[in-house]
Amino acid sequence: MDEPEGFSVELLAPHAAFPDSVAAGFLVDYEESDLGPITSLLPFDASSVVLAKVTWQPGGTSGWHTHPGPVIVTITEGELELINERDCVARTYTAGQAFIDPGQGNVHIAANSSTTEQAVAYATFLGVPDGKPATIWVEPVEC
């Protein structure tokens, strides 16, 4: 399995279930890709949520990983380079921007290429089963 380095996660709100029936659908279609939508999650059981603050130190990396459900990520400091295994295109997101990781097997890595500044994001993980991790590390991918 890949190992994160210079990467930390602070749980802000533990696993919580919605008392009502909740489903979510996300379609992520990157401008730089000719492969079409990365995934379509219609409908997806979004009946639980986990909230975390994620920090990458200068040069830090999340390691290659996936999530059980979609993740809404908001960058608040610095910038991140995100690479999805599906197309191996490096995409950069900066403070004030957000992205959706569709989860459900979308293998990816996020890294902070700065040598002096940290990067910080807030992540809302949807559909994490109670008692299960929000992140699953996988073998490194060759891109």
Side-chain angles (χ1 to χ4, degrees), residues 96-118:
Q97 293 184 319
F99 65 90
I100 293 176
D101 171 2
Q104 295 186 313
N106 179 54
V107 174
H108 59 285
I109 189 169
N112 177 4
S113 59
S114 174
T115 58
T116 58
E117 304 289 325
Q118 72 177 7

Side-chain angles (χ1 to χ4, degrees), residues 11-97:
L11 188 62
L12 299 177
H15 184 274
F18 292 102
D20 305 307
S21 177
V22 176
F26 294 101
L27 181 68
V28 181
D29 194 5
Y30 296 108
E31 290 181 16
E32 303 89 353
S33 180
D34 294 333
L35 300 176
I38 194 169
T39 191
S40 177
L41 304 169
L42 302 170
F44 175 77
D45 178 8
S47 61
S48 63
V49 63
V50 173
L51 178 64
K53 177 182 179 182
V54 187
T55 304
W56 290 258
Q57 296 304 317
T61 175
S62 66
W64 287 96
H65 64 282
T66 188
H67 306 284
V71 184
I72 301 168
V73 180
T74 302
I75 311 301
T76 58
E77 291 180 41
E79 66 180 43
L80 290 178
E81 180 180 84
L82 178 74
I83 301 173
N84 293 302
E85 174 189 32
R86 181 173 186 262
D87 61 10
C88 292
V89 173
R91 296 175 175 89
T92 300
Y93 297 94
T94 61
Q97 293 184 319

